[in-house]
Amino acid sequence: MIAHAPPIVLDFEEGIDRKTLRRLRERFLVVNRQRWERAHSSLTYRQQGVLAILPLVFHTNHPALPGYLDASCPYGLSHYRPDTATVSAARRLARTFSLRDEGKRRADLEALFLMGSPGTVGHSVTSDLDVWLIHRDDLEKPGIRSLERKAEKLTEWAASFGIELHVFVFSAADWRDGRQHAEVKGENCGSAQHYLLLDEFYRTGIHLGGCYPLWWLIPSEQEGRYQECVNRLVDYRFIRADEYIDFGAVPAITAIEFLGAGVWQLYKGIEAPWKSILKLLLVECYAQTQEQPVLSRVFKQAVFSGVTDADILDPYVLLYQRLEQWLTEAEAKTRLDLVRRSLYIKAGLPLSRAGVTTGGKEPWRVRLLRSLVAGWDWQEKHIEALDNRHLWRVEEVSSLRRMIVSELTHSYRLLSKMARDHGGQSAINANDINLLGRKLYAAFQRKAGKVEQVNPGLAPSLAEENLAFHHQSEQGEAGDGWLLYRDLEDPSDAFWQPVIRRAGNLAELVVWCYCNGLLTRTTRLNVRSGQGVASISELREMLNALVGFAPFPVEPAEREALARGVRPLRNLLLINVGVDPQPHLAERGLHKLSARHDSLGFSGGRENLVVTIDQITLNTWHEVSLQHYASGDTLIQCLKNVLASVALDPRAIPGVAVHSHNRGHGSAIARRVRELFGDVLRQFFAGGTGPHPVRYVIEMDRRYFLLEFNGTEPGFLVLESRAALMECLAQPREEYLPIVFDRYALLDDPAMLAACRASEPNSVQVFYRVRGERLQIRVIDERGSLFGWSQLAGRRRYMLTPLLRFLENLIERRTLRYSEMPVAYAGVRCYELIASDGFWRPEYRPQAETGAALPGLEVQAVGVQEGDDRVRFDLYCGEQEFTVLQYGDQLIPAVAHYIYSLRQSGDRYPVYLTDVHLPHDLDPRVYQQDIQTTQYLYYRSVLETALNRELEAFQ
């Protein structure tokens, strides 16, 4: 191999000759041959066959060769003549293969190139093969589509040999006009880095067959007048135009293109940082040193100068040398160290374990990499640490991650500034920058509750063979936190071992270990819970729940998901981690069993068995977060937070999985919590819309929780007793809100549950139930407010007449007052609540006797607002008037005495008000235009109770 040859100088002014041009082309082909051999040697024997026959499968359209599509697929590689080795490789795949003489048929394909890392020190076993297939400019679209389908079939075939092959199909004219689709791969940035990609192609491309790059023949110093030089070569026939292909020159690269390339590399570098860091820094270097030539021109100038040594011209060596010079001048030692690590790891060559070939020589990549490392002053221990990346623990990865995050964040801020400065001209718009920011945020941003991912492609695995979870009290520390150790043969060794991580609770520590790959199903566990009850079996159950919830590793979010706002994808609720609710109740003497098996109202004490909750959420950006609920009404807090997150985007309701360890009725607790969340979510977000206007009642821990939304914000009202609940349900509303009871709420009053299920808007409904001599009445008014009471039943025919007379008077007054009223207000519907086969239902009971005469006086009340938040009433008994002004606090006794005086001796029956008028300023702070039916019923009940109490005193 000739490493150095005399310089070649082409003077387009003085004259050039064909012999010199042929010698120049041969010099590039010498370098090309070395790179092809190096790329070939880096593959396995079976993979080498793939590379060897690539030109042949496009040159011929033989049915026995891989990728064959149909007889109409374009084929023929210009000026290509396969050698004996290539034909032999084809015959190993297809014994019947033979070359056919195509005569003077015009080739459909102009050239085939391999580009990127193959044949360089940066090529590793994980590197892919990017191939440019160049068709003639006038090829019809059906032919182009056939070539693309053939390329897809070849990709599948190569994958069977362990090769990731990408074939990009376009023409030279497409490239020059910016219409190519090379290297788009999911992020549509290929056209935004046209010249940077061409720069990479010229310095890394390996010619596999067809026409040669015309760029080879234009001296670097003449690239400013590239087209003029090309025209001279072609017009004066110094070259045969059909032997060359022209992609154009690499002019000064604009800031706009730096932005496009930087966004793309940074987007990819979040998951695979080593290669992207090198390219990101090269983009930044180009942008800050535009007076220096790009690397493709450095490469070409070296070949013109007589350098043909593949080691010297190795693209990654040239890249590193440029970055080293730039960072050294900038005194950026930390960034330079990161560049060296990135190049070393990208190469994938463990120098501390590298051997020699059978001939006693080091492989060329080992030799070249070792020569580079020799100038870096690395100690042997440092090299061994990088070589043993598979043994890295979480501490080493976390330290390196900080460097990676710092570099990627620096690049993002630089790109953001460039976007602001050149946004109007950029091919990368604000959405792309925003998308990149979201991806960075999802991968690296710290926020409350988020489970930090410490290994973004830095080490193959962080799995631990042994992990020990110790409560702080085991180490003599105060508090409820937990400590994580590895490899503790004896618990007492914890005093001498470093703590891997601390966490405020056990679930947080377990989730962090799982999401970062430390904890697997093969990890041996040790648990020391102090006074707690956490156990190895509980941790194993948690691990199984996590595996089903979000399989490790958590894959990065797709571009489409990042383009939309973040929302929860699914939740996992871990109930009572390390807590036994039974002893928790036993301390309070509440552990005895009864017929009540509801986990939220367990046993005779109606106790809530949900003590703690750890809510794990996976969102659409594939962030995992954990929120711990350990005090107060934990279940209600968790439910409220889940509902609030769903309300922001109810189109897709997140799944809710629940797990509880089998101690202390664990399976029953999990089932009950799962049912509750499912029921509530369905009520408020059925049909993928909402939140729907509903009041949802949950009975738990001898209390009642009333849930309703204010816009998109859920709120809970805690009611300490049944009386407080009924008072709350009677309150006026601004709009109709039905009342929905949880499946275990108010099971001792099934009749009321049946009444609420039958509620309808804009209607006044009376539900009654006869129980011996008592009559239970519940009225649900036009806005869903509920008012109930109990009274003597009396004669069944007339037992509802006073109430219905009162309601009809009220509706009549409304009808007269307003010109337009809903039809539903025209009357009152009555239902009797009856039980059949254990199921309660309302049956409609028409009331035909509401107009019948009632014994006694017509008693009416007219409210007076006195300005002190208190409503007082003037009462009218027939034609007799009793006013507040006249009687003051003695009004009720005076009216009761008057009624008593009119009754015959021994008559005992209650007083019923037939009409109540209320002022519209019941609350002095507001003017209530429409007073609800239940408000009238409330004041009617208050006045009737007071009058009947006074009457009983006279009797």
Side-chain angles (χ1 to χ4, degrees):
M1 178 184 69
I2 301 175
H4 294 277
I8 293 177
V9 178
L10 294 180
D11 190 337
F12 281 76
E13 299 299 330
E14 295 295 329
I16 52 180
D17 63 86
R18 295 179 180 83
K19 183 177 180 181
T20 302
L21 291 173
R22 285 195 298 270
R23 188 158 54 92
L24 179 61
R25 184 180 72 183
E26 290 303 317
R27 186 173 293 182
F28 276 100
L29 289 175
V30 167
V31 178
N32 190 88
R33 184 64 185 177
Q34 293 178 69
R35 286 189 177 172
W36 188 92
E37 290 173 350
R38 289 185 168 190
H40 188 262
S41 67
S42 299
L43 303 175
T44 66
Y45 176 75
R46 297 179 71 231
Q47 291 173 340
Q48 288 173 354
V50 176
L51 181 59
I53 70 163
L54 268 179
L56 187 60
V57 297
F58 288 111
H59 181 62
T60 64
N61 193 31
H62 197 286
L65 291 181
Y68 179 80
L69 194 66
D70 54 46
S72 64
C73 185
Y75 67 98
L77 194 55
S78 181
H79 302 291
Y80 176 70
R81 296 292 182 270
D83 57 22
T84 304
T86 302
V87 174
S88 298
R91 286 175 177 164
R92 284 195 295 271
L93 291 172
R95 293 181 180 178
T96 61
F97 173 76
S98 63
L99 277 174
R100 292 179 298 177
D101 185 3
E102 298 289 343
K104 295 183 178 181
R105 178 186 179 276
R106 184 186 178 192
D108 294 317
L109 309 175
E110 292 189 339
L112 189 69
F113 297 94
L114 180 64
M115 62 132 353
S117 62
T120 74
V121 72
H123 183 80
S124 66
V125 292
T126 60
S127 297
D128 52 8
L129 299 182
D130 289 343
V131 174
W132 284 16
L133 176 63
I134 316 301
H135 61 77
R136 53 186 171 86
D137 297 343
D138 59 350
L139 191 64
E140 298 292 334
K141 288 186 178 179
I144 297 173
R145 286 194 291 269
S146 292
L147 284 174
E148 290 172 343
R149 290 197 298 271
K150 181 171 184 174
E152 292 172 359
K153 293 189 69 175
L154 277 171
T155 296
E156 296 173 0
W157 171 72
S160 67
F161 294 90
I163 293 179
E164 186 177 348
L165 175 69
H166 306 282
V167 182
F168 304 102
V169 181
F170 56 96
S171 71
D174 287 338
W175 180 273
R176 293 192 301 270
D177 295 338
R179 299 190 303 267
Q180 83 289 347
H181 299 284
E183 207 177 352
V184 174
K185 294 185 186 175
E187 287 77 45
N188 191 18
C189 300
S191 61
Q193 54 170 344
H194 180 89
Y195 291 117
L196 282 167
L197 190 55
L198 187 57
D199 170 60
E200 182 181 357
F201 168 74
Y202 279 150
R203 59 188 166 86
T204 67
I206 299 175
H207 177 261
L208 298 180
C211 299
Y212 307 111
L214 186 53
W215 176 84
W216 284 356
L217 307 183
I218 310 301
S220 295
E221 64 273 11
Q222 296 293 330
E223 287 216 21
R225 42 198 292 260
Y226 178 87
Q227 193 57 49
E228 179 184 342
C229 295
V230 168
N231 292 341
R232 181 174 293 238
L233 290 175
V234 175
D235 294 345
Y236 289 91
R237 299 183 180 179
F238 289 107
I239 61 171
R240 290 180 56 183
D242 65 342
E243 291 184 351
Y244 291 87
I245 189 166
D246 184 16
F247 296 111
V250 183
I253 300 172
T254 65
I256 296 171
E257 188 163 329
F258 290 139
L259 175 61
V263 167
W264 189 11
Q265 291 300 334
L266 185 52
Y267 192 92
K268 295 196 297 183
I270 293 171
E271 284 113 36
W274 305 119
K275 179 180 178 181
S276 291
I277 282 176
L278 296 173
K279 292 195 173 185
L280 275 169
L281 282 164
L282 180 62
V283 169
E284 184 180 344
C285 175
Y286 275 180
Q288 294 185 8
T289 60
Q290 294 192 46
E291 71 283 355
Q292 297 186 28
V294 294
L295 290 180
S296 61
R297 292 175 65 177
V298 173
F299 161 71
K300 182 162 63 170
Q301 182 59 52
V303 176
F304 268 74
S305 300
V307 178
T308 56
D309 189 332
D311 286 354
I312 299 174
L313 298 176
D314 187 286
Y316 274 89
V317 172
L318 294 177
L319 183 151
Y320 170 74
Q321 290 171 344
R322 171 64 66 87
L323 294 181
E324 181 184 49
Q325 177 188 0
W326 171 57
L327 294 173
T328 300
E329 291 174 356
E331 297 182 352
K333 294 182 179 180
T334 301
R335 301 183 77 191
L336 179 57
D337 180 62
L338 184 58
V339 166
R340 289 169 174 170
R341 292 194 196 198
S342 298
L343 177 58
Y344 187 86
I345 294 175
K346 172 67 176 71
L349 289 173
L351 293 184
S352 62
R353 300 192 298 272
V356 296
T357 63
T358 53
K361 295 182 179 180
E362 286 186 322
W364 70 267
R365 293 179 65 238
V366 173
R367 173 180 48 76
L368 182 54
L369 184 61
R370 197 183 298 280
S371 67
L372 280 173
V373 172
W376 296 350
D377 296 326
W378 279 3
Q379 295 182 358
E380 193 63 31
K381 289 183 178 180
H382 185 59
I383 297 175
E384 289 178 357
L386 293 176
D387 290 345
N388 293 319
R389 209 158 52 99
H390 61 287
L391 299 178
W392 281 0
R393 300 293 180 86
V394 68
E395 295 91 340
E396 292 93 342
V397 170
S398 296
S399 176
L400 185 56
R401 177 185 182 275
R402 286 190 289 271
M403 294 177 62
I404 298 291
V405 172
S406 175
E407 185 59 44
L408 295 180
T409 303
H410 167 81
S411 295
Y412 174 70
R413 290 172 179 165
L414 179 66
L415 293 171
S416 297
K417 182 179 183 304
M418 293 174 67
R420 291 192 299 271
D421 294 343
H422 304 279
Q425 309 166 7
S426 177
I428 299 296
N429 59 32
N431 289 335
D432 294 313
I433 293 293
N434 186 51
L435 184 70
L436 178 59
R438 288 181 172 185
K439 190 173 180 71
L440 276 169
Y441 180 91
F444 301 127
Q445 185 69 34
R446 287 192 178 99
K447 64 179 180 180
K450 180 177 176 179
V451 180
E452 185 180 48
Q453 303 289 323
V454 300
N455 184 28
L458 305 182
S461 172
L462 296 181
E464 295 284 350
E465 292 184 5
N466 302 276
L467 286 176
F469 296 81
H470 284 208
H471 191 268
Q472 284 185 187
S473 60
E474 290 284 342
Q475 310 306 325
E477 298 183 22
D480 292 326
W482 285 77
L483 311 175
L484 179 68
Y485 299 92
R486 70 165 59 87
D487 299 332
L488 289 185
E489 296 294 335
D490 189 308
S492 62
D493 293 341
F495 288 100
W496 316 106
Q497 293 291 334
V499 177
I500 299 176
R501 188 173 179 86
R502 295 173 179 265
N505 59 82
L506 179 58
E508 177 185 346
L509 201 55
V510 172
V511 172
W512 183 86
C513 288
Y514 172 73
C515 289
N516 284 290
L518 282 74
L519 176 59
T520 70
R521 282 174 167 161
T522 61
T523 304
R524 292 193 297 273
L525 299 176
N526 176 273
V527 178
R528 305 283 290 187
S529 59
Q531 299 301 313
V533 293
S535 64
I536 293 176
S537 64
E538 181 173 11
L539 262 63
R540 291 290 181 199
E541 287 185 14
M542 289 172 60
L543 176 59
N544 290 335
L546 288 168
V547 170
F549 171 70
F552 177 82
V554 178
E555 296 294 333
E558 296 292 335
R559 184 183 179 93
E560 291 74 17
L562 293 170
R564 297 188 292 268
V566 65
R567 63 174 178 80
L569 197 58
R570 52 183 178 270
N571 297 284
L572 172 64
L573 308 183
L574 301 177
I575 310 295
N576 298 340
V577 174
V579 175
D580 187 348
Q582 290 296 84
H584 172 75
L585 299 181
E587 294 174 1
R588 301 164 60 187
L590 300 169
H591 60 290
K592 293 181 180 179
L593 298 177
S594 73
R596 287 189 61 90
H597 298 295
D598 176 18
S599 299
L600 307 186
F602 187 76
S603 188
R606 306 286 181 91
E607 290 300 308
N608 175 20
L609 297 184
V610 177
V611 182
T612 69
I613 299 178
D614 290 279
Q615 176 191 346
I616 306 161
T617 303
L618 175 69
N619 65 29
T620 51
W621 291 0
H622 288 196
E623 297 173 293
V624 178
S625 60
L626 182 142
Q627 189 160 355
H628 181 65
Y629 306 89
S631 61
D633 296 308
T634 56
L635 182 59
I636 298 301
Q637 295 169 27
C638 180
L639 179 58
K640 181 177 67 175
N641 288 345
V642 169
L643 291 173
S645 65
V646 176
L648 298 177
D649 185 3
R651 291 171 296 178
I653 299 177
V656 179
V658 186
H659 170 75
S660 182
H661 186 46
N662 54 24
R663 82 169 78 84
H665 305 278
S667 58
I669 295 171
R671 182 173 59 253
R672 176 68 176 100
V673 173
R674 190 183 309 113
E675 290 172 349
L676 175 64
F677 275 74
D679 292 345
V680 173
L681 287 169
R682 278 190 296 273
Q683 286 293 335
F684 284 103
F685 302 106
T689 61
H692 302 309
V694 169
R695 283 177 289 173
Y696 196 92
V697 179
I698 301 171
E699 182 178 355
M700 183 174 69
D701 201 20
R702 293 167 293 177
R703 295 178 296 161
Y704 301 89
F705 297 84
L706 182 63
L707 166 63
E708 64 179 276
F709 274 83
N710 180 15
T712 58
E713 298 180 1
F716 276 95
L717 190 62
V718 183
L719 304 161
E720 298 293 337
S721 65
R722 178 75 63 87
L725 172 66
M726 298 307 297
E727 181 180 349
C728 179
L729 296 179
Q731 296 300 310
R733 310 291 313 177
E734 293 184 358
E735 61 179 356
Y736 173 75
L737 280 181
I739 303 166
V740 177
F741 290 89
D742 179 59
R743 65 175 69 190
Y744 285 95
L746 272 69
L747 293 180
D748 56 351
D749 194 353
M752 189 173 80
L753 301 181
C756 289
R757 284 194 294 267
S759 170
E760 298 176 354
N762 298 322
S763 176
V764 177
Q765 298 167 281
V766 177
F767 300 89
Y768 66 91
R769 174 189 177 192
V770 180
R771 301 188 66 179
E773 297 183 355
R774 304 294 296 178
L775 180 67
Q776 286 186 336
I777 300 176
R778 294 179 178 87
V779 178
I780 301 179
D781 73 7
E782 62 278 3
R783 294 184 183 170
S785 295
L786 168 68
F787 188 77
W789 69 92
S790 174
Q791 64 183 46
L792 289 171
R795 295 173 59 190
R796 186 176 182 90
R797 184 175 181 182
Y798 298 109
M799 62 185 178
L800 292 177
T801 301
L803 171 63
L804 297 178
R805 178 75 55 81
F806 175 84
L807 293 174
E808 288 179 349
N809 286 339
L810 175 60
I811 291 174
E812 179 182 336
R813 186 164 66 250
R814 285 176 173 167
T815 305
L816 293 174
R817 182 172 180 178
Y818 300 105
S819 58
E820 296 182 3
M821 291 296 299
V823 176
Y825 284 156
V828 179
R829 296 180 66 84
C830 291
Y831 301 85
E832 182 177 4
L833 296 167
I834 60 174
S836 176
D837 297 327
F839 179 77
W840 285 82
R841 68 179 187 277
E843 287 194 357
Y844 178 61
R845 297 282 189 259
Q847 301 293 314
E849 304 294 336
T850 58
L854 291 173
L857 298 171
E858 291 276 341
V859 182
Q860 298 176 309
V862 177
V864 179
Q865 175 58 258
E866 296 185 340
D868 59 354
D869 291 350
R870 180 186 177 193
V871 179
R872 305 182 74 177
F873 290 88
D874 295 335
L875 296 179
Y876 298 85
C877 299
E879 299 300 322
Q880 184 66 37
E881 179 182 20
F882 296 85
T883 66
V884 174
L885 184 62
Q886 179 182 3
Y887 290 96
D889 293 339
Q890 296 304 308
L891 177 68
I892 296 298
V895 174
H897 184 270
Y898 175 74
I899 294 173
Y900 181 73
S901 67
L902 297 178
R903 290 185 175 181
Q904 297 180 5
S905 177
D907 288 344
R908 300 185 64 182
Y909 51 88
V911 174
Y912 296 104
L913 269 70
T914 56
D915 204 1
V916 173
H917 294 260
L918 292 175
H920 290 274
D921 54 351
L922 283 172
D923 184 345
R925 297 167 296 181
V926 297
Y927 183 86
Q928 189 175 350
Q929 187 69 252
D930 297 320
I931 300 176
Q932 286 183 226
T933 300
T934 51
Q935 292 177 274
Y936 286 100
L937 290 172
Y938 168 75
Y939 285 107
R940 174 179 183 263
S941 174
V942 170
L943 292 171
E944 285 182 353
T945 300
L947 286 171
N948 287 318
R949 188 182 298 115
E950 288 293 335
L951 281 173
E952 290 176 0
F954 291 122
Q955 296 171 351

